[in-house]
Amino acid sequence: MNIELINTGSELMLGRVLNTHQQWLCRRLADLGYVVTRQVAVADAGHDIKQATREALVRADLVITTGGLGPTSDDITRDLIAQLLGKKLYEDPTIVQHIEQFFTARKRPMPASTRVQAMVPEGAIVLANPNGTAPGLAMKVEDGKWKPGNCDPISPFSTLNSQPSTYPKWLIMLPGPPRELRPMFNDAVVPLLHRVLPIESEYVCRTLRTVGIGESQVADKIGGPLRAALAQGLDLGFCAHIGAVDVRLAAHGPQATQIVRAAEAVVREQVGPNIFAEDDDTLEAVVVRLLAARKQTLALAESCTGGAIAHRLTNVPGASAVLLASLVTYANETKQTFLDVASATLTAHGAVSEAVAREMAEGACRKTGADFALSVTGIAGPGGGSEAKPVGTVFIGLASPDETIVLKQFNPFDRETFKNVTGTQALECLRQQLVRRA
Amino acid sequence: MNIELINTGSELMLGRVLNTHQQWLCRRLADLGYVVTRQVAVADAGHDIKQATREALVRADLVITTGGLGPTSDDITRDLIAQLLGKKLYEDPTIVQHIEQFFTARKRPMPASTRVQAMVPEGAIVLANPNGTAPGLAMKVEDGKWKPGNCDPISPFSTLNSQPSTYPKWLIMLPGPPRELRPMFNDAVVPLLHRVLPIESEYVCRTLRTVGIGESQVADKIGGPLRAALAQGLDLGFCAHIGAVDVRLAAHGPQATQIVRAAEAVVREQVGPNIFAEDDDTLEAVVVRLLAARKQTLALAESCTGGAIAHRLTNVPGASAVLLASLVTYANETKQTFLDVASATLTAHGAVSEAVAREMAEGACRKTGADFALSVTGIAGPGGGSEAKPVGTVFIGLASPDETIVLKQFNPFDRETFKNVTGTQALECLRQQLVRRA
């Protein structure tokens, strides 16, 4: 099935807003087995919207548009598409009533301009909007019917492209505000899709998240062993994040589950120890869960990461059950005040040293009574590097009930990347330790 | 000028990642006077990328692609586009050398697969990638030259659409990772555009960044006074971020500089105290500069923000001259251990209270000897709220040489937004104080 998503909005083209509709809709659709083949964003300009819609209608079985259904002058999607499909618009009294009630409930007068939102192309299904005034619209497009509606010929790319489809063609228009679009999609669009465009072939997608191994290394390790699965139709994808690589395994059809399950086994066999989570899970969430399950606690002593690790951990709901404190001791004196790092150690080895990382981690454990403490001390740059300790040098300490270990890493990146990568290395060091102790 | 952006990546179509390239590139281009007319996202699939590129090449004067230049099997953009344009690929020894050095510097072996990134289509300009292994590529597309490269005829939509252009046609391929793409765009693409696709009419764009005032308030205040400038052709734009509103002033043509300068004066007259920075400057960078200029220091005592404020400040190069420490005291006991908050105060008022915020800020100052200390204590949620102190309640303390002030704020947002907004309020509270003392 060919699915295209069209996002309209001039502020998208000016980069003033982030297109969260794309990720949200693509994600929801993929989870239901409907994979979007193309997404297009255009400004609120008649010609661009019409052209994008027309091209999509030729290629796709399902076209979803977002935005342009509101009451203001730049909300032109409804009219343009009715025009394109050669459909008349009529005013739907139940929508007028809904809009009136919407304003009455808010004790505000109903602006005349909002009445345009009650206009419906003949034959369209109205998708209720409990969170706003503009309803969504769904229309079955009788093939060919709409073609006379436009002057230009049809794109040969598109016709070449659209294998004679067994599906009816549907066009769904959704309002722009996420708090209106999302519930409407879940409550009205999903049931409609199941009814009018049911997925006959199964679709399975699984993401394995790895850390501590480069994208090309992962590819080299799993490429060969996966050859059989690839021949069976496995769709293999990689997504390299900073310091982590996601391996995506997907398949269509009746064999999908077996193919993906077999491929997952192969990947785990090759890079198992580097896999920290599946699908949307995060390293910090995994660490919080592992500690919470053991009713154990953590303290941090951060120098060069400057709070970045605490920030990541405290983004996880429930982190407060696990994280006691992070001592972001940026200045040397504060390493002594808050972590009891000996001034002799600082003078003898310098702040960026194995010895200081060790004392920071052990000090954090002692001072907070935590079961584990992670420490980081390094040179984030751009300044502060030396011949012996270039920018990017970092020591990661992990104090645990029976031992303290210190890793030396080299992360010669820009400042933010340095903090991110170092934080991931530190959290992974703890995760490995927790897994070993399990 | 017609500009199209093509983002490739199956994980985009599956909604696994947010397309931040669209906003970032559209924004940077618009600020330079180049407005993107269409953005398209397709999967890492040969046919889709080829088709999208071909259609864009017909319509656009400039086509920018992102992604698909890496070393793995799904990185196919380079080859497909070379094919499409009928260009041979050759191995560029200087790129091979760069890749080898990249791995040597990281003390890692160079996987054979990475060598493919040194392949360059004949005639392409190589855009250096100091932050990764895959260089960008820029190619002038001699009109027509590429058409034999594909089997299908050209889209009549497109041809109808592309008014005979006075511009040469350029195709630029950028790598997917943002930390590689962004510097490459700023350092290599911008100068190239100015050289090969100059904007003939002058373009001036100025962004004034405000905090502590709503979008509609700003609009109401400056709308009237700017009427004259708008009549002269001022392009006025607003961009509401969480807790901050950017006012964008732009103009084209010979008068551009005067129009924008006059408009800036008007905006400063109306909302001057709320303007914390210009263009891409950040609140944290401003605070670091203000403190550094006075040779003064700062300490933080963070509870509910969990290190987010320290993280923001330490993203600013040179923060170490200013920030002594952040005590992220997540557990109550640690507020006593590290900040000398009295247990009586905690029992009497609770951790989320004006009294505790005050003691945290004063404790941080005393313990670190900093000139200023910011403290935050609140309820980030989702749990932990009560009738008297609902989720979103937060107290922000600021201790300074002669007084301690505490603000109460209510930020009923999701966890990450809560941390972000609260951090901005705290940093702005300090900025206002520093400006008053100037």
Side-chain angles (χ1 to χ4, degrees), chain A residues 227-265:
Chain A
R227 209 163 281 129
L230 289 162
Q232 286 178 284
L234 173 73
D235 169 16
L236 172 64
F238 298 92
C239 184
H241 306 280
I242 301 161
V245 176
D246 292 351
V247 180
R248 199 187 68 254
L249 308 167
H252 280 278
Q255 305 304 312
T257 311
Q258 287 144 265
I259 295 171
V260 171
R261 193 173 293 138
E264 173 168 355

Side-chain angles (χ1 to χ4, degrees), chain A residues 310-331:
Chain A
H311 177 45
R312 282 169 67 169
L313 286 166
T314 55
N315 282 343
V316 181
S320 49
V322 161
L323 182 69
L324 299 183
S326 177
L327 294 316
V328 183
T329 51
Y330 224 49

Side-chain angles (χ1 to χ4, degrees), chain A residues 237-239 248, chain B residues 8-17 43-44 74:
Chain A
F238 298 92
C239 184
R248 199 187 68 254
Chain B
T8 67
S10 298
E11 61 286 356
L12 287 173
M13 308 321 286
L14 294 169
R16 297 285 149 184
V17 295
D44 300 309
D74 58 358

Side-chain angles (χ1 to χ4, degrees), chain B residues 121-351:
Chain B
E122 40 182 18
I125 297 171
V126 174
L127 309 172
N129 183 356
N131 304 297
T133 51
L137 298 165
M139 313 169 66
K140 185 170 179 199
V141 181
E142 308 90 57
D143 203 19
K145 260 283 185 307
W146 54 279
K147 288 172 187 166
N150 73 70
C151 47
D152 324 346
I154 303 316
S155 163
F157 291 154
S158 320
T159 37
L160 277 172
N161 193 14
S162 57
Q163 304 86 347
S165 171
T166 57
Y167 300 100
K169 209 180 271 297
W170 280 81
L171 173 69
I172 299 177
M173 295 177 249
L174 300 176
R179 60 180 202 84
E180 299 178 26
L181 177 142
R182 296 180 182 192
M184 186 183 293
F185 182 87
N186 291 332
D187 304 339
V189 177
V190 172
L192 179 72
L193 288 181
H194 286 320
R195 207 175 75 245
V196 302
L197 287 171
I199 298 280
E200 59 296 285
S201 87
E202 194 192 352
Y203 178 80
V204 179
C205 181
R206 179 87 162 142
T207 303
L208 298 176
R209 313 198 61 192
T210 70
V211 61
I213 178 170
E215 184 175 12
S216 50
Q217 278 172 286
V218 180
D220 290 353
K221 284 194 171 199
I222 68 178
L226 279 179
R227 207 163 283 128
L230 289 161
Q232 286 178 286
L234 173 73
D235 169 16
L236 172 64
F238 297 94
C239 184
H241 304 282
I242 303 158
V245 176
D246 292 350
V247 179
R248 185 165 135 280
L249 307 166
H252 280 276
Q255 306 303 313
T257 311
Q258 288 143 267
I259 295 172
V260 170
R261 192 173 295 137
E264 173 169 356
V266 170
V267 177
R268 289 193 176 277
E269 196 182 304
Q270 297 300 320
V271 296
N274 296 92
I275 298 171
F276 67 88
E278 289 90 38
D279 299 324
D280 292 328
D281 204 1
T282 65
L283 182 54
E284 42 272 31
V286 169
V287 165
V288 166
R289 283 203 306 274
L290 285 170
L291 286 166
R294 295 165 169 70
K295 301 203 170 1
Q296 290 181 309
T297 56
L298 172 68
L300 304 172
E302 300 186 67
S303 185
C304 55
T305 48
I309 302 176
H311 177 44
R312 282 170 68 169
L313 284 166
T314 56
N315 282 343
V316 182
S320 50
V322 162
L323 182 69
L324 299 183
S326 177
L327 294 316
V328 183
T329 52
Y330 223 50
N332 281 349
E333 308 66 48
T334 63
K335 293 181 176 65
Q336 302 174 43
T337 318
F338 297 106
L339 298 168
D340 294 343
V341 172
S343 68
T345 316
L346 285 163
T347 344
H349 305 276

